[in-house]
Amino acid sequence: MRATCSRNRLSELLRCRGQGQGQWQCQCPYQLALVRGMTRGRSVKERSKKKRVHALEVAIERWKVLSKVLTVVEALKKEEEHVTPLKRLEILRPQLGLVKPHKVAHFVRRSPHLFEVCRDSRGVMWAGLSPQAEALVEEEARLLEEHSPTAAQYVTRMLMMSVDRRLPIDKIAHFRRDMGLPHDFRTRWVHMFPEQFRVVRLEDGEYLQLVSWNPNWAVTELEKKAAASSGDANASPPGELSLPFPLKFPPNFTSYYRFRGKAHHYVKTGNTEQFQKITYLSPYAEVKGLTPGTPEFDKRAVAVMHEILSFMLEKRLVTDHLTHFRHEFVMPQKLMRLLLKHYGIFYVSERGKRLSVFLTEAYDGTELVEKCPLVRWREKLLQLTGYRGRMKYLGKFDASSDSEGYLLGGGGDDAVLHIESENSDDILDSCSISDDSEMDLGDTDEFCRD
């Protein structure tokens, strides 16, 4: 009875209030006290869409295409003779981000210089690496071996930055491609440098543990550049730093934009200058006495992210990979907010399903300022894909595009080769074509290479 009376009184009150204002809207009682205090939130995409740098968006699209191609190449490398039935590659659909009606077969046919597609006498489609791709695979193995000492140094420096001087191997594996680690990273590579780190097994998994501290490596990339410009080669113990971070903005950058009639600043000049003057702990120093949320804590976190991005081949990372290390590197919980706040140091691209962060100082337009041999190898691989000539249409694609349009589509111009040989029946007899992931390919010497 009381509840009915309360509802009637509330309805009369709202009706009278609506008549006075010329409108009436029924609201639940628990909403009445909150209606004034509620604010409209904005997602990461809405907050950063007016800050987009077209050149870096082109770079991220190019990387996404390359990443998908590398996934197929690595899958074929694991097969005997680098050949497999095309139907078996369909298990890569989730990794390639393909949605129906797109198929892996369409994806493969769009790069005929990298992949060869053949049909045997029984109509079974086979896929393999082209001679050019085989040569690139051999070159990659050589470059990865040459890059191993540098990669080992970067991994050691990451262990030196961590709180417990150890990192889970599963988390380091996320950086395998970005850091140029070999394919046998887990089984062989982690045991190749026993004087720097070793594998330890704990209750929650395998970790990479620091063996010895190298004081010559406890120097940030910013310190190295400052020492090179000043000619001072003496390395000091890690402690407080006052070096400013390089800022880089696009040519048409404006410091503010208008949203709903109000001016919103991308970068407030006064705050930026004040932030650059703050002294901060080196990423290699012991974290003591820092309070989360303070400017000193945030600036050290910026220094850690700057150092990690400097270790990457392309000075770029998927943001998820950074957030995995919040505890190990003592970084704030809301890491994305910090990346968006320091727009001149980092650039966050929201194109696609996963966000990526760039180190802006490392890029000149769409290209890296300094390219290591592995990056140049990736550029050669990209030249053999179906991506050529499509960059000028990038601005017409939706922000959530996954680059499927670049490499997917009809295969009208793609030639399908046929195998007509005496041993083609032997190929079919030696394996069973099914959806299972385990398959014995048998003798595939007659695979067409023409």
Side-chain angles (χ1 to χ4, degrees), residues 98-117:
L98 302 182
V99 295
K100 294 182 178 180
H102 299 307
K103 297 182 179 180
V104 177
H106 298 160
F107 182 90
V108 170
R109 287 173 181 158
R110 296 297 291 178
S111 298
H113 296 291
L114 278 178
F115 310 112
E116 291 184 345
V117 180

Side-chain angles (χ1 to χ4, degrees), residues 368-433:
L368 278 165
V369 177
E370 298 179 0
K371 298 180 181 180
C372 70
L374 279 172
V375 173
R376 298 191 182 277
W377 177 87
R378 293 180 178 182
E379 291 178 345
K380 289 195 292 185
L381 183 68
L382 190 63
Q383 290 175 358
L384 298 179
T385 66
Y387 182 74
R388 299 189 306 278
R390 301 295 186 102
M391 287 197 302
K392 59 183 178 181
Y393 301 113
L394 176 65
K396 299 181 181 179
F397 286 95
D398 184 77
S400 61
S401 167
D402 259 346
S403 308
E404 293 173 359
Y406 293 124
L407 291 175
L408 296 174
D413 297 332
D414 301 323
V416 178
L417 304 177
H418 294 265
I419 297 180
E420 298 291 343
S421 66
E422 298 178 356
N423 292 337
S424 60
D425 292 341
D426 297 337
I427 299 176
L428 292 173
D429 293 337
S430 62
C431 64
S432 59
I433 308 301

